[in-house]
Amino acid sequence: MITQRTGSFSQEDVLNPDNASWRLGLGTLLQGLNSSMIAVAIGSISLSFPDASAMPWLVSALYFTAAVGSPTFGHLSDLFGAKRIYDIGLAITLMASILGPLSPNIWVLILARALLGLGTSAQSPAAIAMVMHLAKTRHTSSSTAVGVISLLGQVSAAIGPLIGGIVIVTFGWHWIFWINIPLIVNAYLWSRKVPSTSAKDFDESDVSTSARAAHRRGMFPSIDSCGIVLFCIALIALIYALLGSSAPLAILGLCISSMCFALFYCQERRISRPFIDFAFISSHPTVTYIYVRTILVNIAFYIVFYGIPQWLESKQGMNAAQAGLLLFPNFLAGVITTRLASSRLKSFTPPQLRRIGSILLGGSALISMLLFHFGMHPLILFATFLLGTPSGFNNMGNQLELNRTVRPQQLGQATGMFRTSQFIGAAISTPLVFHILQINSTISGGYLLMIAIVAVCIIVWMLDLLHHHLQEPRHKPAFRKG
C-alpha cells in the first residue's frame, strides 16, 4: 500500500478522480485567465507599442494556436501520456510568460501570446483524459471531476478582467504575464503525483496498437501537420482580409484564405487521421449546424468581451481596473445562466435552450443600447450583466445537441472540433471590434457594438430557422402516435 503524501493528500486521495480534478484544474485556470486579462490590457499595451493595426493580432494569436492546440494535444495525450502533455503545456506557458514582458516590439509580444495559447491549450484535454482514466480504473463516474475542471476554467475567465485590471493599474501590463509564473509552479507541484494515462511509458502491455505504432514511427507522422499548417494559413489570411486597410489587401487575403481552405479540405478528405474530419461533419448535418452556430454566438460574445473594455477605456476615460470591474457581471451572468440551464434540462430541450439564448442575445443588445446612452456606472454594470445572459443557454443548447447527435465513441472528436469552433469565433471577433471602434461617427462605439451583435443574432435566427426547416420532414413521423 502506498502511503506517500503529496501536500495534504495521501497517494490514495490523489487516485480519487474528484480530488485529482482540483489539482489538475490549477493548470486549466491558465487559459481562461490569459484569454480574459488581455481584454483590459490593450489600452496600456498600445501606449508601449503604438501600432494600432497590430492590436487585433495580439488578441487573435492566442485563439489561433489554441484552436489548433486543443484537439492536437488531446490526440497526443492518447498517444504519449496525458501527464507528459500536461507538463509540456506548462513548460510552453512558462516560456511565453517570460518572453512576453521582455518583448522588444509588438510582434514578439504577439509571438508570446501565440505561445500562451499553445501552452494553455494542453491542460484541459490532458486533465480530462487523466481524470477519466482514474475514474475508469476505480469504476466510478467521471462527471463530477470533468465538471470541476470546466468550472475552474470558467471561473478564471470570469475573474480575469478584474484581476488583470487591478494588476495593470498597480504594476503595469507586463504583470499579466509575470503573474502566470507562480500559478504555473503551483499547478506543477500539485499535479506531479497525479498518475498519467496508461500510455505514458509506452508499456507494450498497456498501450494500444495504434499508440505503439505511432511511437515506433515517431510523433509527427501520426499528426496531420500539413492540414494544421494549411488551416493556420487559411485562418490568418481570413483575419488579414477582415483587417484589410484597403480593398486590394482584403481581396488578396480572401483569395489566399479561400485557396488554403480548399487545399485544407482536399487534404483532410484524403488522409485517414485528419485534423478536422470533414467526412464526419458532412455525414452529420446537425453537427455542421452546431459548429457554425457556435462560431456565430462566440463572435457575438467576444464582441462584448473585447469591445466593451476598449470602448470604456478609450471613449469613457476609465482605467483598466474600472473597465475590468464593469465587465465582471458579464461572466457572472454566464455562470448563473449555465447553472440555470443545467438545472432545467428536464424542462427544456436543447432547441428550446438555443431559442432562449438567441432571444436573449438580441434582446440584451437592444436594451444595452438604451443603458449605454445614460453612461452611468450602475447602468453599464446592468448592461454587461444582460449581455452575459445568453451565453449559458447558447452553450448548453449547442453542447447538448452535439452530445445527443453523435455516438459515444465519436464524442471526443466532436467535442474537440466544438472547442475549435469556439476559438474561431473568438479570433474572427477581434478584427470586427477593431473596425467598429475605428469608425468615425456621431454614433457611440457602444451603440455600434450592439448593432453588430444584433446583426449576428439575426444570422443566428436565420440559421436556426433553416435547420428547423431542413429537419422538420425527418422529425414529423416521430410525432405520429397512432
Side-chain angles (χ1 to χ4, degrees):
M1 174 65 69
I2 299 174
T3 58
Q4 181 181 357
R5 300 190 67 84
T6 306
S8 60
F9 294 103
S10 67
Q11 183 67 19
E12 180 63 24
D13 291 325
V14 174
L15 293 174
N16 183 301
D18 292 347
N19 290 338
S21 67
W22 287 101
R23 291 168 166 260
L24 296 168
L26 295 174
T28 63
L29 290 171
L30 293 163
Q31 186 172 73
L33 199 63
N34 282 279
S35 67
S36 60
M37 286 193 297
I38 195 68
V40 294
I42 294 173
S44 298
I45 292 173
S46 64
L47 296 177
S48 299
F49 304 113
D51 186 351
S53 62
M55 288 301 124
W57 296 104
L58 185 65
V59 177
S60 297
L62 183 144
Y63 293 110
F64 285 141
T65 50
V68 173
S70 290
T72 302
F73 278 128
H75 177 51
L76 291 176
S77 295
D78 294 336
L79 295 178
F80 299 99
K83 187 59 172 64
R84 181 175 296 172
I85 298 303
Y86 185 96
D87 290 341
I88 288 173
L90 290 178
I92 295 173
T93 305
L94 178 62
M95 289 189 293
S97 300
I98 295 172
L99 176 63
L102 304 178
S103 300
N105 57 60
I106 187 63
W107 297 106
V108 176
L109 187 63
I110 290 171
L111 174 62
R113 285 279 299 170
L115 287 174
L116 271 179
L118 184 64
T120 57
S121 68
Q123 277 79 58
S124 183
I128 290 173
M130 279 187 275
V131 297
M132 291 185 70
H133 173 70
L134 288 175
K136 182 178 179 181
T137 57
R138 294 170 68 92
H139 306 290
T140 59
S141 172
S142 62
S143 58
T144 301
V146 172
V148 167
I149 292 170
S150 300
L151 176 64
L152 289 173
Q154 191 173 22
V155 168
S156 67
I159 64 176
L162 182 58
I163 292 177
I166 294 172
V167 166
I168 291 165
V169 170
T170 307
F171 303 107
W173 66 262
H174 304 79
W175 279 85
I176 67 169
F177 290 90
W178 292 128
I179 198 175
N180 287 323
I181 295 178
L183 296 176
I184 293 166
V185 173
N186 187 56
Y188 173 75
L189 292 176
W190 279 96
S191 66
R192 62 194 179 96
K193 294 298 182 181
V194 178
S196 183
T197 55
S198 59
K200 66 175 183 176
D201 296 320
F202 300 103
D203 186 339
E204 292 292 320
S205 64
D206 292 332
V207 184
S208 66
T209 302
S210 61
R212 291 198 300 269
H215 178 50
R216 286 194 296 268
R217 292 194 309 266
M219 180 185 299
F220 293 103
S222 65
I223 302 298
D224 179 19
S225 54
C226 180
I228 289 173
V229 170
L230 287 170
F231 176 80
C232 290
I233 295 174
L235 194 55
I236 290 171
L238 176 60
I239 302 301
Y240 179 80
L242 294 174
L243 285 170
S245 56
S246 64
L249 290 177
I251 293 171
L252 175 64
L254 286 174
C255 290
I256 295 174
S257 179
S258 300
M259 182 180 66
C260 289
F261 272 124
L263 292 173
F264 174 63
Y265 177 80
C266 294
Q267 162 73 9
E268 301 307 275
R269 293 303 297 258
R270 182 180 61 84
I271 65 174
S272 59
R273 294 184 67 92
F275 170 63
I276 293 181
D277 192 346
F278 285 104
F280 166 77
I281 294 174
S282 62
S283 63
H284 295 78
T286 298
V287 172
T288 304
Y289 155 70
I290 289 299
Y291 291 155
V292 175
R293 193 180 191 279
T294 298
I295 291 173
L296 290 171
V297 296
N298 275 274
I299 290 174
F301 174 80
Y302 283 99
I303 285 175
V304 174
F305 183 49
Y306 292 120
I308 296 299
Q310 292 182 62
W311 172 64
L312 292 174
E313 291 185 59
S314 63
K315 304 299 182 182
Q316 302 296 310
M318 296 184 185
N319 61 33
Q322 291 171 323
L325 177 62
L326 290 177
L327 191 63
F328 179 72
N330 182 266
F331 287 96
L332 182 63
V335 173
I336 292 172
T337 55
T338 298
R339 176 62 180 167
L340 178 61
S342 301
S343 66
R344 304 294 296 175
L345 293 182
K346 293 182 179 179
S347 303
F348 295 118
T349 64
Q352 289 173 329
L353 291 175
R354 294 196 299 275
R355 196 172 300 122
I356 294 171
S358 62
I359 292 171
L360 288 173
L361 185 63
S364 63
L366 291 172
I367 294 172
S368 295
M369 285 184 189
L370 178 63
L371 297 175
F372 286 149
H373 173 73
F374 296 100
M376 293 185 290
H377 287 192
L379 295 180
I380 294 176
L381 279 167
F382 184 55
T384 57
F385 180 86
L386 285 178
L387 291 167
T389 56
S391 60
F393 292 101
N394 280 319
N395 289 336
M396 286 297 296
N398 290 339
Q399 181 70 69
L400 290 172
E401 189 70 55
L402 189 69
N403 292 351
R404 75 175 188 173
T405 300
V406 302
R407 295 192 297 271
Q409 60 268 33
Q410 297 172 320
L411 189 56
Q413 177 190 27
T415 302
M417 289 189 285
F418 178 76
R419 189 74 170 148
T420 297
S421 299
Q422 293 175 319
F423 291 134
I424 291 173
I428 292 174
S429 71
T430 53
L432 297 180
V433 168
F434 173 77
H435 283 302
I436 290 169
L437 295 181
Q438 293 295 316
I439 293 174
N440 292 320
S441 172
T442 57
I443 302 176
S444 165
Y447 285 111
L448 294 175
L449 291 171
M450 296 305 101
I451 291 171
I453 292 174
V454 171
V456 172
C457 184
I458 292 171
I459 298 173
V460 171
W461 289 343
M462 294 171 63
L463 180 66
D464 289 344
L465 288 172
L466 176 63
H467 174 70
H468 178 73
H469 175 72
L470 294 176
Q471 293 293 103
E472 194 174 20
R474 188 181 305 173
H475 287 165
K476 274 184 177 179
F479 295 110
R480 295 174 184 167
K481 299 183 178 180

